[in-house]
Each structure stands twice: as structure tokens, then as C-alpha cells.
Amino acid sequence: MRLLITAGPTREPIDPVRFLSNRSSGRMGYALAEAALAAGHEVLLISGPVTLPPPSGLQLIRVETAREMFDAVRTHLPGCDAAIFSAAVADYRPAQVVSQKIKKTADTLTLQLERTEDILGSVRSQFGFHGFLVGFAAETENLIAHAQDKLLRKGCDLIIANDVSQSGIGFDSLENEVTLCLPGGQTMPLPRQSKTALARELIAHISRLSSPQAPK
Ligand code: CTP
């Protein structure tokens, strides 16, 4: 199948030398891309700024901001059979980007932020995507309840939920421990393991669940 994967953080500029971003390393998304390629799928990776080498054999589109990622997803989603949204997209960006470096004149500085585009949330409603849709839910409390709510709100077929309050897993870590949340309230915990091993397992689940003839 043809698979679109988003990965990494986004950077939202404040001025020519500063930005808002987050701790995402892109490792989970890049591991998923690699595992999907190894399983024989065609992969389009839309990546925010990361230091990882891109796996060879895929189509890579580099973006910086949430808006650029939104545009890239909208352009490239048609023709894909499945999409996995593993990017840690900034939820807010500075409402104004100033063209000159902000000088430290006052003792305090207030930044006004505005919401970014909800990329995953636009896939069904705005882009009319009918393929298999996978989102991530990074939560610090009520993991399963928040993940199930996200699954319904965004029209996903699968949410990969991880508890980011635990150290050593998730954001900027080599390992992850997730729970799969499916429509109908079904959940499946997967054990803590390297992101590489987990990615292989996740791609196998996604291939099985998205196959029209397979039992869900
Ligand atoms: N996501 C996205 N675009 C955004 C924000 C998030 O595509 N602007 C995607 C992420 O890649 C992830 C999923 O949405 O797959 C969940 O992101 P999260 O920020 O946890 O979801 P929200 O609905 O924004 O919920 P919250 O209120 O917890 O921030």
C-alpha cells in the first residue's frame, strides 16, 4: 500500500533567529517509515526538522511549520491508502512574526499565540480522505479516555496512545510503550520496546487492520 507518514516536530518562527518547537526527535515516525519500507510498502514521509538520516527508498518532503506540514499533507494525501500522523505538530504559533530580531528592552515580554491548523483533524472533514487513518495521542493523564475521544473526534481508525508522563519512553527517547485504541472501545497494550521493534509491530497491525478482507 501507499503510506503517508508525518514525523518530527514543527518550528514556529518568532523572529528571524527564534522559534517555538518541542522535544520530538522524529525517531518514532522515521522508524515507522523504515518498517513500512521493509514490509514492501510505498512510503511518503513528511518530516519536520530532525537530525536523523532519512531511510533510503522513500519520498521525503521536508517542512518547518505546521502550516507547511498541513499544505504538504493536503497535496500528497490523495492516492494514499493509509496515513500515520506521528508528528508533534505545534498547537500554537506566534500570532505575529516580526521581521527584525526582537531586542531585550523590557523586563518581560508577552507573546501572543494563535492556533495552528489541526492537520489530523482536517483529514476526513476537509480533505475527504477515505483511507486508513492512524493518529497518535501523547497524554499525561487519562490515557485511554483521551485517546478514545481523539479517535472519535478526528475520525481515526486507530489511535496509538502513549503516556508521556513516564520517563524513558515517548518524546525524544529510544523506547516507547503504547496502547492501541480501536473504534468500539477495544484496546491492546503493547510492551515497552525499542522504537525500531515497536514500529515493525505497528506496521504489521496497520497492514492487517487496513486490509479489507482481514477480520478486525
Ligand atoms: N496533530 C496534527 N496537527 C496538529 C496537532 C496534532 O496533525 N496541529 C496530530 C498529531 O500528529 C497526532 C494527533 O494529532 O497524531 C494528536 O495530537 P494532540 O496534539 O495530542 O491532539 P489534540 O486533539 O490537539 O489534543 P490535545 O487537546 O491533547 O492537544
Side-chain angles (χ1 to χ4, degrees), residues 6-8 66 69-70 73 84-92 115-123 134-139 146 149-150 153-154 156 159-160:
T6 70
M69 191 173 275
F70 177 86
V73 169
I84 308 176
F85 287 77
S86 68
V89 185
D91 287 322
Y92 293 90
R115 286 281 295 269
T116 55
E117 296 74 12
D118 182 356
I119 309 171
L120 176 60
S122 307
V123 165
V134 184
F136 271 76
E139 308 289 350
H146 283 311
D149 172 61
K150 219 160 267 186
R153 267 192 295 125
K154 307 203 177 189
C156 294
I159 287 278
I160 302 166

Side-chain angles (χ1 to χ4, degrees), residues 24-166:
S24 169
S25 63
R27 275 194 204 102
M28 194 67 247
Y30 276 59
L32 284 165
E34 198 140 20
L37 285 170
H41 301 299
E42 207 183 311
V43 180
L44 174 79
L45 178 62
I46 300 177
S47 176
V50 298
T51 55
L52 301 170
S56 55
L58 53 68
Q59 191 183 346
L60 175 68
I61 295 163
R62 293 181 198 273
V63 297
E64 287 250 338
T65 64
R67 185 172 283 143
E68 286 170 11
M69 191 173 275
F70 177 86
D71 289 339
V73 169
R74 183 170 47 191
T75 304
H76 294 281
L77 200 54
C80 291
D81 305 295
I84 308 176
F85 287 77
S86 68
V89 185
D91 287 322
Y92 293 90
R93 68 177 151 240
Q96 261 116 37
V97 184
V98 294
S99 58
Q100 302 300 326
K101 185 183 164 200
I102 299 171
K103 303 299 282 180
K104 50 177 176 308
T105 47
D107 285 342
T108 60
L109 173 70
T110 305
L111 281 180
Q112 171 127 35
L113 305 180
E114 64 180 22
R115 286 281 295 269
T116 55
E117 296 74 12
D118 182 356
I119 309 171
L120 176 60
S122 307
V123 165
R124 296 285 193 220
S125 57
Q126 252 186 278
F127 306 160
F129 180 65
H130 295 299
F132 194 80
L133 185 59
V134 184
F136 271 76
E139 308 289 350
T140 54
E141 54 179 3
N142 303 325
L143 179 68
I144 303 302
H146 283 311
Q148 292 289 357
D149 172 61
K150 219 160 267 186
L151 182 122
L152 291 176
R153 267 192 295 125
K154 307 203 177 189
C156 294
D157 297 299
L158 171 67
I159 287 278
I160 302 166
N162 67 326
D163 179 352
V164 286
S165 67
Q166 288 186 53

